[in-house]
Amino acid sequence: MPDTWYKVDNVAKVFLASVTRRDPRVFRVSCTLKEEVDPDVLAAALQRTAVDLPNFQVTLHRGLFWHYLESTGKCPRPEPEHRRPCAAIYGPDLKNDLLYRVSWYRDRINVEMFHALTDGNGGLLFLKVLVHNYLALRHPDELAGVPRSEGASAADMAENSFQQFYARRRAAGSPADPAARRPVSRVRGGLLPLDQTRFFEGHLSASAVLAKARALGVTLTSYLAAAQMLAVWQEAPALDRGRAVAMGLPVNLRNYFPSDTARNFFNTIRVAHLFTGDETLDTLAREFDRKLRAELSPDRIMARMDGFQRFERLPGVRPVPLPVKNTVVGLCNWVEARKVTLTLSNMGRVTVPPALQPYIRSFAAYCSSDGLFTTVCSYGDDLVLGSVSAYRSPNVLRNFYRSLADSGLDVTLYASEVDP
């Protein structure tokens, strides 16, 4: 790393100010192999990965005015999976340690990271390097000399791209969406007790879902998001029918800027719809896709990124003590969260070198949440939807998967148990 310490990025400050017991701001990416994991080989692969990716070998500390990350020589060690997914990594009782953990269960390797360290793109980078190193050690004769697909330098991966690409841009005016100004519907039914969350993992054919989306002229994201919004509206009580259903969608800013950073580099857009009762999945998917494309225009994305960075650069903000900043940022985040009904994050298609493909079965991802958050990724023809729900009732996801099955898609669904 170019320095021994650096301040956390723009988005990380939001995560640090909004950690709760139910949502410790941790995400998981996992890879399922076609063979049982050898713990000793995994430990050796993790040591090699720590050397390959020094940017992840940091601990988090509190300063007077900001949090900062500091390089550390702490030795990462994998462990058999024994915690619930996305368990806390940083908090009052968890300090001065690495901001990620690696575990295994049978044929699955899990990497969990505190979101203040990196985003899903960075976490997936770490997992892919770890799996590459593991398979190279496990099958040296077959995989000797296979190059990694990730070749960015440590300096590039440590870059704060929010600062690097800040240019004081402002969004051009656009027609206001009436649905975006309406109060937002919430998922009803109460929260799970004891700060629990439930995990759902759905598997579908990626090519079959893509065919459904393309037949409507929409993206896969729009198709899945519209199906989830319909599922929410079907459960809405009568008094909520005049409220909009709003979907939050994280956007990878690396698609808009030439950045190889392994730190956080994304922001979140919002697409809302006010239901009339006449919507079908087909009509809603087309309407959602139209609004999504407008929100994803480069001008709007870049201006939104600059808007967050501009607030941080206000002259009176820097000298404010950290506890005050955390309180204000946490309150602002709570207000913004009330404008979203549920969240869908599409990490896209996961690729690995061809030589590794025969050893890998699938990839999956989850993100902790105090609401309903679905992470989508695909590998080969396996499309995996990892949903985290804080709600007692599973009806929204039941409606969602039922609608996909009714449309002719084959669905395999797994779910975790919770305490009553």
Side-chain angles (χ1 to χ4, degrees):
M1 296 175 63
D3 297 304
T4 58
W5 70 271
Y6 51 84
K7 291 190 290 184
V8 298
D9 57 68
N10 189 292
V11 172
K13 295 171 184 176
V14 177
F15 290 130
L16 284 162
S18 56
V19 169
T20 65
R21 289 181 59 186
R22 192 186 299 276
D23 182 5
R25 297 300 195 172
V26 173
F27 67 86
R28 165 186 284 203
V29 287
S30 64
C31 176
T32 302
L33 305 176
K34 294 181 180 179
E35 60 188 21
E36 294 279 320
V37 173
D38 184 319
D40 294 332
V41 176
L42 180 61
L46 182 55
Q47 295 298 314
R48 180 177 294 185
T49 304
V51 175
D52 291 341
L53 301 174
N55 310 82
F56 292 89
Q57 310 310 307
V58 295
T59 53
L60 181 65
H61 305 278
R62 293 169 61 99
L64 180 59
F65 302 109
W66 57 70
H67 287 92
Y68 63 95
L69 299 169
E70 186 172 26
S71 300
T72 179
K74 288 181 179 291
C75 182
R77 299 183 184 279
E79 58 188 30
E81 185 176 16
H82 62 280
R83 300 179 177 89
R84 67 176 179 86
C86 302
I89 290 178
Y90 179 82
D93 302 323
L94 300 167
K95 295 181 178 180
N96 301 320
D97 207 347
L98 292 170
L99 301 177
Y100 70 88
R101 72 169 68 95
V102 174
S103 64
W104 81 90
Y105 178 73
R106 295 183 180 176
D107 55 355
R108 187 178 66 228
I109 298 173
N110 307 306
V111 174
E112 294 178 322
M113 292 192 168
F114 185 38
H115 226 319
L117 174 62
T118 185
D119 55 21
N121 189 83
L124 187 59
L125 165 70
F126 187 97
L127 174 65
K128 289 166 67 174
V129 173
L130 174 62
V131 170
H132 190 139
N133 286 335
Y134 172 83
L135 291 174
L137 291 171
R138 188 75 173 84
H139 303 279
D141 295 335
E142 298 88 342
L143 299 177
V146 175
R148 287 210 327 255
S149 56
E150 296 79 18
S153 68
D156 287 340
M157 287 192 285
E159 178 186 83
N160 184 341
S161 291
F162 287 107
Q163 291 185 355
Q164 177 68 21
F165 297 105
Y166 173 67
R168 296 190 178 93
R169 288 163 288 234
R170 296 182 182 272
S174 61
D177 177 11
R181 301 197 303 267
R182 297 295 291 267
V184 172
S185 177
R186 314 295 301 173
V187 176
R188 302 299 180 181
L191 298 175
L192 287 164
L194 307 175
D195 294 321
Q196 296 179 93
T197 50
R198 183 185 281 119
F199 296 82
F200 300 82
E201 185 171 298
H203 291 255
L204 302 95
S205 164
S207 59
V209 179
L210 270 173
K212 294 282 186 183
R214 287 171 177 167
L216 298 174
V218 304
T219 64
L220 183 144
T221 298
S222 294
Y223 184 81
L224 295 175
Q228 285 205 345
M229 292 175 80
L230 270 173
V232 170
W233 187 79
Q234 290 166 359
E235 292 298 312
L239 290 177
D240 269 9
R241 292 299 173 96
R243 293 173 174 262
V245 177
M247 175 71 74
L249 300 110
V251 177
N252 182 4
L253 294 176
R254 298 169 187 84
N255 295 330
Y256 296 84
F257 299 93
S259 171
D260 289 317
T261 184
R263 299 172 68 180
N264 285 298
F265 195 42
F266 76 97
N267 60 27
T268 301
I269 63 173
R270 187 170 68 103
V271 175
H273 182 78
L274 187 61
F275 282 83
T276 65
D278 297 326
E279 291 85 357
T280 65
L281 177 54
D282 293 1
T283 60
L284 182 58
R286 292 190 181 100
E287 176 67 13
F288 187 97
D289 195 72
R290 181 186 65 79
K291 292 181 179 181
L292 178 60
R293 290 179 188 277
E295 290 296 324
L296 290 177
S297 68
D299 288 346
R300 294 187 65 80
I301 290 293
M302 294 178 183
R304 185 179 291 108
M305 186 203 78
D306 283 357
F308 287 107
Q309 190 69 20
R310 189 181 303 114
F311 175 78
E312 183 178 336
R313 290 168 177 259
L314 291 175
V317 170
R318 295 186 180 184
V320 176
L322 182 59
V324 177
K325 287 177 180 172
N326 280 345
T327 300
V328 174
V329 172
L331 178 61
C332 292
N333 180 71
W334 181 85
V335 171
E336 288 300 310
R338 300 294 295 177
K339 299 177 182 178
V340 172
T341 310
L342 69 171
T343 303
L344 179 76
S345 177
N346 189 352
M347 295 178 63
R349 182 169 169 263
V350 181
T351 60
V352 298
L356 273 58
Q357 294 173 7
Y359 302 92
I360 297 174
R361 190 179 306 280
S362 67
F363 286 85
Y366 295 99
C367 187
S368 66
S369 174
D370 54 8
L372 179 56
F373 194 120
T374 298
T375 307
V376 183
C377 67
S378 67
Y379 173 75
D381 195 46
D382 187 26
L383 181 68
V384 182
L385 282 64
S387 296
V388 178
S389 174
Y391 300 108
R392 286 179 179 271
S393 173
N395 287 353
V396 169
L397 290 174
R398 179 202 63 189
N399 295 343
F400 169 63
Y401 283 108
R402 181 176 293 170
S403 71
L404 297 181
D406 289 345
S407 71
L409 296 169
D410 291 329
V411 178
T412 301
L413 182 62
Y414 305 92
S416 65
E417 295 182 354
V418 294
D419 295 328

